Amino acid sequence: MSQPKTTKHRILDAAEVLFAERGFKETSLRAITTAADANLASVNYHYGDKKGLIRAVLGRYLDQFIPEFKQELLSLHQRDEFDMNDVFLCTKQPLLRLNSFKNNGTTIFMSLIGHGYTDVQGHLRWFITTYYDDVIQLFVTAVRRAYPCLDPETLFWRLHFTLGASVFTVVSSTALFAIAANDFSSRIKTEDLINRLVPYLAAGVTAPIALNKELL
């Protein structure tokens, strides 16, 4: 028989659901405490404030995702040669395993990441770059090795376009699966979605630089 959840974990679980559905800005602490059957003082006691709670919610997923992602990147860097497809495939298994951590974990994680940017949560950028900078640098170095001609500004934009496409695709996966089944009689899973997404992302990041400048 499972033990009842503590107040701390009820708050974290309620916040996760509401943040993923509504975003960080649109979710009040009152809504979270009501869903968790807790009071505001307990949020302050366990997490300090709303920013601390947001970091705790996202950190729970990052602590699952980052170690596996880091291992994938370290293995990739041992190879003499690899391409952009290989770089983005490093995210595949770590993302899929989030579904084992939590039901629908991959979608929840990507939704939280997306809200972190659309809600302009600057403290989350600080949190991620402070605690997970070594993995970020491994990823960026892999991208540069796969396509060395990218200048820093172009790399910045292309990686953010990549993040936007990834978040939209994964968060919209339920609707996309239904459309694929209805229009093409295709039974798609999350793994299939990632397999289709990776070549698209790789092609976008490695688009010719000259063409990019002509369009500016």
Side-chain angles (χ1 to χ4, degrees):
M1 184 176 179
S2 61
Q3 295 294 318
K5 290 183 178 180
T6 64
T7 300
K8 181 178 181 179
H9 284 91
R10 291 203 313 274
I11 292 170
L12 199 61
D13 287 344
E16 175 186 296
V17 171
L18 292 171
F19 285 153
E21 289 179 352
R22 305 178 187 177
F24 301 121
K25 281 187 177 180
E26 298 301 319
T27 302
S28 67
L29 287 179
R30 182 178 296 277
I32 292 169
T33 54
T34 298
D37 190 23
N39 55 51
L40 184 58
S42 60
V43 174
N44 295 331
Y45 175 76
H46 290 295
Y47 300 105
D49 55 17
K50 187 177 180 181
K51 288 181 179 180
L53 180 56
I54 290 171
R55 292 173 195 166
V57 168
L58 187 57
R60 184 158 64 165
Y61 281 88
L62 288 170
D63 286 346
Q64 296 293 319
F65 174 78
I66 289 293
E68 293 195 35
F69 184 38
K70 182 176 182 178
Q71 192 54 54
E72 294 280 350
L73 289 170
L74 288 172
S75 297
L76 183 71
H77 278 289
Q78 295 301 310
R79 293 162 54 175
D80 293 332
E81 294 183 358
F82 54 82
D83 60 23
M84 200 65 70
N85 233 55
D86 299 320
V87 176
F88 286 115
L89 279 173
C90 286
T91 66
K92 179 180 172 180
Q93 291 306 320
L95 280 174
L96 290 175
R97 289 194 184 101
L98 290 176
N99 284 331
S100 299
F101 169 64
K102 270 291 191 73
N103 183 41
N104 208 32
T106 303
T107 300
I108 293 172
F109 174 64
M110 294 301 287
S111 180
L112 293 170
I113 291 291
H115 285 306
Y117 278 83
T118 58
D119 292 356
V120 197
Q121 299 292 307
H123 67 98
L124 271 186
R125 185 175 187 277
W126 172 87
F127 172 69
I128 293 172
T129 56
T130 298
Y131 289 95
Y132 306 101
D133 187 61
D134 60 329
V135 181
I136 294 171
Q137 294 309 314
L138 273 174
F139 174 71
V140 171
T141 301
V143 170
R144 286 177 170 152
R145 279 188 61 187
Y147 198 52
C149 60
L150 286 173
D151 61 89
E153 184 178 358
T154 302
L155 176 63
F156 165 82
W157 285 112
R158 292 191 180 186
L159 289 183
H160 280 77
F161 297 154
T162 295
L163 178 63
S166 301
V167 168
F168 173 80
T169 301
V170 176
V171 172
S172 306
S173 59
T174 300
L176 292 172
F177 293 165
I179 293 169
N182 184 68
D183 293 1
F184 309 108
S185 300
S186 297
R187 303 297 173 186
I188 304 296
K189 301 183 206 177
T190 303
E191 182 172 2
D192 303 316
L193 194 67
I194 294 173
N195 287 338
R196 290 171 181 267
L197 180 61
V198 163
Y200 176 86
L201 299 178
V205 174
T206 57
I209 301 295
L211 175 61
N212 182 61
K213 290 183 176 177
E214 287 172 8
L215 294 174
L216 295 178

